[in-house]
Amino acid sequence: MHTVLAVGRRFGGLVIVFLGVTFLIYAMTFALPGDPIRALGGDRPLTDAVVRALRAEYHLDQPLWEQYLQYIGGLFRGDFGTDFTGESVGAQMASRWPVTITLALTAWVLEIVLGIGLGVVSALRRGTVLDRTVLVSTIVVGAVPVFVLGVALQIVFSVRLRWFPVAGTTSGWPMAYILPALVIALFGLAAVSRLTRTSMLETLDTDYVRTARAKGLAPGRVVGVHVMRNSLIPTATYLATDLGYLMGGTVIVEGIFNLPGVGNLLFQAIRSHEGATVVGISTALILVFLVTSVLVDLLHAALDPRVRRR
């Protein structure tokens, strides 16, 4: 019963956050300067009658709160809206999700393998040159803006060394995705390695680990069974949460590497003032992040019995 109530509270909080965030995005998007309806005419201005008809068709002649309620009502029917050319936003996203999901999952796997690996090695080699190198490298990587890092790696590994394609997905997975995924993963990778290192160092100094060593257990068994099992709980929580961030963090990278994903579609929609597309994609990304957050809470409770007792 307690578990059911806890899950209910989490989902209740999810609904409140979802409504609040989507309303803010909706309000800010349609409050941007410029008139997207008149912009449809290009060099040939639309007549006032046509402008009024289009505003009525897209409900832009109604108060903001009524527009938002109609939009939320459409979401419950699986309708993410229609852009100003009459094309379904949901259909546009459906054709681009595979690229974004592939990119995000590739970056996530890189975070898990490299981040945890570097963190474990750094903790086991505490105070050595390797340990200090990992710490300094992760700090430096975290300080570089993502667009600078993306362009720099693209010039070095794609243009000069020609190890990876410069742009597009023609080469398929993994060649077309490794480099952009690495750009996204480097920031989370730095956090994962530092978090793993810190957690492992704390666990290595606990009494039960010293007792296991005193009993003569093999070092590999001490680290693999007693240290890793407890040390990776905060890392697993972070990685599960970061998957939601990775889905939304592909906007800049997809633009740099010209990947036809949801992030690239969002970037194009912002440039062309396609408010319905911007709100639809943002809403989908918010849903991914919120659902991931709830699953992380449940995962944390499953991994750590102390959380279940609260």
Side-chain angles (χ1 to χ4, degrees):
M1 185 64 180
H2 182 270
T3 303
V4 174
L5 291 176
V7 173
R9 285 197 300 268
R10 289 187 176 95
F11 276 100
L14 183 149
V15 171
I16 294 173
V17 172
F18 173 75
L19 292 176
V21 174
T22 52
F23 178 77
L24 287 176
I25 291 176
Y26 193 95
M28 290 188 293
T29 299
F30 287 98
L32 290 173
D35 190 340
I37 297 297
R38 292 191 179 277
L40 292 175
D43 296 331
R44 301 179 62 181
L46 301 176
T47 64
D48 291 340
V50 173
V51 170
R52 286 194 297 270
L54 288 174
R55 288 186 182 280
E57 180 179 351
Y58 291 101
H59 310 293
L60 297 179
D61 57 342
Q62 299 176 356
L64 182 65
W65 65 271
E66 289 188 16
Q67 297 179 41
Y68 176 72
L69 289 180
Q70 290 184 358
Y71 178 73
I72 291 297
L75 283 180
F76 284 111
R77 298 190 300 272
D79 181 11
F80 283 87
T82 306
D83 65 13
F84 295 129
T85 64
E87 189 173 355
S88 169
V89 175
Q92 295 180 58
M93 289 193 295
S95 64
R96 292 173 178 257
W97 272 122
V99 173
T100 297
I101 292 174
T102 302
L103 179 60
L105 289 178
T106 304
W108 197 52
V109 171
L110 290 175
E111 278 191 17
I112 294 173
V113 175
L114 298 179
I116 294 179
L118 288 174
V120 170
V121 171
S122 182
L124 296 178
R125 298 291 185 270
R126 173 173 31 182
T128 63
V129 175
L130 178 60
D131 181 27
R132 289 192 290 269
T133 301
V134 171
L135 289 176
V136 172
S137 300
T138 54
I139 294 173
V140 171
V141 168
V144 180
V146 63
F147 60 88
V148 174
L149 187 63
V151 172
L153 293 182
Q154 187 181 47
I155 292 174
V156 173
F157 292 103
S158 297
V159 177
R160 295 185 178 177
L161 297 178
R162 298 184 180 180
W163 290 356
F164 302 98
V166 177
T169 58
T170 305
S171 302
W173 191 91
M175 295 305 296
Y177 290 90
I178 289 293
L179 192 58
L182 181 61
V183 174
I184 302 173
L186 279 174
F187 297 93
L189 185 154
V192 169
S193 63
R194 291 197 300 269
L195 182 59
T196 302
R197 177 186 181 275
T198 302
S199 182
M200 280 198 65
L201 290 178
E202 291 177 355
T203 307
L204 285 169
D205 292 333
T206 56
D207 293 336
Y208 71 87
V209 172
R210 286 195 291 267
T211 302
R213 286 174 172 169
K215 289 181 177 180
L217 293 181
R221 181 173 177 79
V222 172
V223 173
V225 177
H226 297 282
V227 177
M228 294 288 289
R229 181 177 181 181
N230 294 287
S231 299
L232 291 184
I233 291 177
T235 303
T237 303
Y238 175 85
L239 284 168
T241 305
D242 196 49
L243 182 59
Y245 282 111
L246 289 174
M247 296 291 290
T250 61
V251 178
I252 297 176
V253 173
E254 286 183 3
I256 294 173
F257 290 90
N258 195 27
L259 301 177
V262 172
N264 201 353
L265 177 63
L266 176 60
F267 180 73
Q268 295 172 4
I270 293 173
R271 292 183 59 185
S272 58
H273 295 278
E274 284 285 357
T277 305
V278 173
V279 173
I281 295 174
S282 301
T283 300
L285 294 176
I286 290 168
L287 281 172
V288 170
F289 178 75
L290 291 178
V291 171
T292 303
S293 298
V294 172
L295 293 177
V296 167
D297 289 341
L298 299 177
L299 174 65
H300 196 180
L303 293 175
D304 192 345
R306 294 171 296 180
V307 177
R308 293 197 295 267
R309 298 192 188 105
R310 296 176 183 176

